[in-house]
Amino acid sequence: MDPMTEKELVRRALVARDAAYAPYSGFRVGAALLAEDGRVFTGCNVENASFGATICAERTAVAKGVSEGARRFTAVAIASYDDAPCVPCGICRQTIYEFAAEGFRYLSVAADGTFVRYGMDEILPHGFKGLDDRK
Ligand code: THU
């Protein structure tokens, strides 16, 4: 991952937590998503009094990237303030699957900045590819 190192992507996810709007759960999450063209899109979770309207940090980052013309991503770092490494929810796994480049990496970050690395197939085996799956 050059010139954007994994360490720098992790640092950006840790910073992105600060913008989180999470008054209901108190669980603040930051994500930093690396596009194939080298751009990094950060995101945070944005909760809502109508709980189902909440958007996770990862999907905020995906929406920012795709709306700015990025279509392929190579890695994402996800961080909360928890001691345990932050793992993505199922909806975010499927959302990222759609745009993940070959060799995509998930960096699951703990509050102290240490992280665990997962491949796409590890984090979402048998992801849904769309209606072509039926052929
Ligand atoms: N959350 C994320 O932002 N990303 C995840 O992958 C897991 C969950 C947020 C959603 C909600 O605002 C809070 O964490 C508690 O579920």
Side-chain angles (χ1 to χ4, degrees), residues 21-25 45-55:
Y21 176 74
Y24 305 105
S25 72
N45 51 334
V46 182
E47 298 187 346
N48 194 274
S50 175
F51 296 163
T54 291
I55 182 166

Side-chain angles (χ1 to χ4, degrees), residues 48-64:
N48 194 274
S50 175
F51 296 163
T54 291
I55 182 166
C56 292
E58 302 89 310
R59 278 177 292 133
T60 301
V62 169
K64 284 172 70 176

